[in-house]
Amino acid sequence: MKPCPICKYETRLIHYYPNSVCPQCSYQTKTKQGQVIQFKNKPYYGGFISIIDTIIGNEHECYINDIPCLAKIYKDEIIIETIY
Ligand SMILES: [Zn+2]
């Protein structure tokens, strides 16, 4: 366990992704402009897509409480990590 870099609550430590945020924070991803951005696994082919206001894209950058983060994939699970 380790503290979430955003909210500081204890969350699980994912090997290789020490800056990953907790599940609650990972549901609050926004774009730099403040639009809600979600990440979903691509069916069949691996990887993931971003969805901003129903528009499907290939974004990885996002913000939680104005803190810059990146979406990554780890064993088919999308995780959000703070950049700094
Ligand atoms: Zn958190």
Side-chain angles (χ1 to χ4, degrees), residues 10-78:
E10 288 275 294
T11 188
R12 72 192 167 130
L13 175 63
I14 303 173
H15 208 45
Y16 301 124
Y17 297 98
N19 298 320
S20 58
V21 309
C22 73
Q24 285 81 1
C25 288
S26 70
Y27 291 131
Q28 297 171 29
T29 47
K30 300 222 167 116
T31 65
K32 197 166 194 172
Q33 289 75 29
Q35 294 172 286
V36 172
I37 181 168
Q38 293 176 299
F39 302 99
K40 291 214 185 333
N41 287 87
K42 272 185 200 167
Y44 314 119
Y45 299 109
F48 62 94
I49 55 169
S50 59
I51 305 170
I52 304 170
D53 194 20
T54 73
I55 297 164
I56 292 172
N58 198 26
E59 303 291 330
H60 291 181
E61 190 182 271
C62 58
Y63 292 79
I64 303 170
N65 291 349
D66 294 325
I67 297 166
C69 300
L70 276 181
K72 299 175 181 182
I73 197 146
Y74 170 71
K75 292 182 180 174
D76 291 334
E77 184 183 351
I78 295 160

Side-chain angles (χ1 to χ4, degrees), residues 4 6-9 21-22 24-25:
C4 167
I6 306 278
C7 69
K8 313 300 182 200
Y9 279 108
V21 309
C22 73
Q24 285 81 1
C25 288

